[in-house]
């Protein structure tokens, strides 16, 4: 009888712990959902990151149009690397022979100074640890999909390096190829990682050519690692650049090449985005403190000057 009571008591305690764990997890999840679905502006007084000091384009830091454009074909919220990439691609595609289109009018709204978010706060590794990611991608998506995903990730490095190499105005980004050195400080992880590399080499040899396994005291000495704390090292190709300089140089070159097509609006937060279901000409309205910005749908004719220079509502 005593034993049965004890089993029931333990079962109740386990159940209570489980319910409490589920309830705590739900609270965290609800809080996360609420945070991601609420428009939260960046803090107004960010720390001054090393990477943003001595900006190569001082005029860009707080640049604004004299008058906020009232309309845009493409309105980008945020002037980090994502925004720069969209602006660059939109303007480049409009001028490419493969996709001849009327050029879009692009407006970038930035809540603080240009490129003051995550992009302006890091030292810019361009690095894909394909050998590490392969096993989990293969388990989730299968061999072919895993390979395609890694090919996509790995393609960023040569594309970025080539873009910067070909454009004198982007060279201040100091992009260069480097060797990534991953060190392993516990034996179990090292043994498992070597198996992972073997599988990667076997399945997708064309992506694994630069991955090298190093072991032993000599290898540790070569890479300046204490052999007492290092079981092995994996090296592979990577690159680095100065993201703040890259992005601001890209904006500067777009502004020089297409002053009539792109404007950067620093210190202009988007405070609300409304959908206008009835208005096919202006499907979205974006609210900013000084006025309103309208984003138009894709139009088959070039925007007329009056469309581009409408005063804020
Ligand atoms: C410390 C650190 C180190 C990192 N290291 C690397 C690395 O080595 N390699 C790598 O690839 N990645 C790295 N990352 C990640 C990388 O920086 C980010 O993934 C990338 O910069 C995101 O770019 P983004 O343009 O999407 O965002 P952001 O650069 O953050 O740009 C978003 C911009 O939007 C603005 N904004 C936000 N809300 C509004 C609004 N309502 N209205 C107007 N503007 C708004 C913000 O002010 C900000 O300027 C690092 C990140 C950090 C923080």
């Amino acid at each position: 009888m005593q034993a049965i009571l004890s089993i029931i008591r333990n079962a109740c305690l386990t159940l209570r712990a489980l319910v409490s764990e589920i309830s705590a997890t739900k609270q965290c999840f609800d809080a996360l959902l609420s945070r991601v679905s609420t428009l939260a502006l960046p803090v107004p007084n960010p720390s001054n990151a090393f990477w943003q000091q001595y900006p190569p384009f001082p005029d860009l830091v707080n640049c604004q149009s004299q008058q906020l454009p009232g309309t845009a074909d493409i309105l980008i919220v945020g002037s980090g690397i994502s925004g720069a990439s969209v602006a660059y691609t939109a303007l480049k595609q409009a001028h490419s022979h493969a996709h001849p289109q009327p050029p879009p009018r692009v407006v970038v709204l930035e809540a603080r100074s240009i490129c003051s978010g995550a992009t302006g706060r890091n030292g810019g590794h361009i690095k894909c640890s394909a050998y590490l990611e392969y096993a989990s991608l293969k388990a989730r998506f299968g061999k072919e999909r895993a390979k395609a995903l890694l090919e996509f990730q790995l393609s960023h490095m040569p594309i970025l390096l080539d873009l910067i190499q070909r454009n004198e105005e982007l060279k201040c980004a100091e992009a260069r190829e480097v060797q990534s050195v991953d060190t392993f400080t516990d034996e179990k992880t090292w043994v498992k990682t070597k198996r992972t590399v073997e599988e990667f080499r076997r399945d997708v040899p064309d992506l694994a050519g630069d991955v090298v396994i190093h072991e032993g005291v000599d290898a540790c000495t070569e890479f300046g690692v204490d052999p007492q704390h290092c079981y092995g090292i994996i090296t592979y190709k990577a690159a680095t650049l100065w993201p703040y300089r890259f992005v601001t140089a890209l904006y500067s070159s777009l502004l020089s090449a297409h002053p009539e097509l792109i404007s950067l609006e620093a210190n202009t937060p988007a405070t609300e985005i409304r959908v206008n279901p009835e208005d096919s000409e202006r499907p979205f309205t974006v609210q900013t403190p000084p006025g309103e910005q309208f984003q138009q749908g894709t139009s088959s004719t070039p925007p007329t000057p009056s469309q581009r220079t409408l005063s804020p509502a």
Side-chain angles (χ1 to χ4, degrees):
M1 187 62 180
Q2 196 68 22
I4 293 172
L5 279 177
S6 168
I7 290 170
I8 294 173
R9 194 167 150 272
N10 283 342
C12 285
L13 284 174
T14 309
L15 204 62
R16 204 166 72 182
L18 194 67
V19 170
S20 143
E21 186 65 30
I22 290 171
S23 158
T25 307
K26 185 175 177 316
Q27 270 178 25
C28 287
F29 185 67
D30 288 347
L32 179 70
L33 265 189
S34 145
R35 191 157 66 84
V36 297
S37 53
T38 310
L39 185 67
L41 291 173
V43 292
N45 51 350
S47 57
N48 188 9
F50 163 81
W51 306 103
Q52 293 164 27
Q53 289 170 17
Y54 310 110
F57 305 96
D59 291 349
L60 271 192
V61 174
N62 287 303
C63 77
Q64 283 184 341
S65 307
Q66 277 198 331
Q67 191 178 42
L68 192 64
T71 62
D73 297 297
I74 298 176
L75 186 137
I76 298 168
V77 179
S79 63
I81 199 163
S82 305
S85 165
V86 173
Y88 173 81
T89 308
L91 292 176
K92 193 172 154 236
Q93 273 183 359
H95 285 86
S96 86
H97 296 304
H99 303 275
Q101 298 160 1
R105 163 82 193 158
V106 178
V107 174
V108 182
L109 297 185
E110 169 53 57
R112 306 185 300 202
S113 58
I114 297 301
C115 197
S116 57
T119 307
R121 295 172 182 278
N122 78 78
H125 294 152
I126 310 174
K127 165 174 159 162
C128 169
S129 309
Y131 75 93
L132 274 181
E133 290 186 33
Y134 177 67
S136 63
L137 288 176
K138 181 179 159 186
R140 284 183 71 192
F141 304 114
K143 210 157 113 176
E144 287 312 310
R145 204 75 207 113
K147 183 180 176 212
L149 285 165
L150 288 175
E151 274 170 347
F152 175 69
Q153 288 188 37
L154 287 163
S155 68
H156 289 62
M157 190 176 98
I159 288 173
L160 276 169
L161 290 176
D162 180 60
L163 175 73
I164 293 165
Q165 214 51 49
R166 279 188 295 108
N167 290 283
E168 197 54 43
E169 65 269 51
L170 302 181
K171 287 200 175 145
C172 64
E174 298 181 16
R176 61 200 183 279
E177 196 177 309
V178 295
Q179 185 182 46
S180 186
V181 180
D182 297 353
T183 58
F184 293 82
T185 54
D186 84 272
E187 191 173 11
K188 207 169 141 199
T189 310
W190 176 238
V191 171
K192 195 172 153 210
T193 304
K194 278 196 294 183
R195 280 204 300 269
T196 306
V197 173
E198 295 310 334
E199 182 186 6
F200 181 51
R201 283 176 171 162
R202 202 173 48 243
D203 284 4
V204 275
D206 43 330
L207 297 188
D210 60 331
V211 181
V212 182
I213 296 178
H214 308 261
E215 282 181 294
V217 175
D218 285 352
C220 291
T221 311
E222 183 189 341
F223 289 103
V225 188
D226 183 348
Q228 279 194 325
H229 302 291
C230 178
Y231 284 86
I233 295 164
I234 310 263
T235 58
Y236 49 101
K237 272 191 214 163
T240 181
L241 57 68
W242 192 319
Y244 176 76
R245 292 192 168 188
F246 171 58
V247 164
T248 50
L250 198 61
Y251 281 130
S252 170
S253 72
L254 290 177
L255 282 166
S256 311
H258 313 286
E260 75 295 0
L261 292 180
I262 176 165
S263 66
L264 291 191
E265 307 296 339
N267 307 308
T268 310
T271 50
E272 189 188 349
I273 299 174
R274 289 195 302 276
V275 184
N276 308 326
E278 309 295 316
D279 190 346
S280 61
E281 287 287 298
R282 295 175 174 181
F284 300 102
T285 303
V286 176
Q287 186 73 43
T288 65
E292 278 191 324
Q293 186 92 25
F294 298 99
Q295 178 173 3
Q296 294 175 251
T298 316
S299 100
S300 53
T301 51
T304 61
S306 65
Q307 281 171 320
R308 284 191 231 140
T309 53
L310 272 181
S311 303

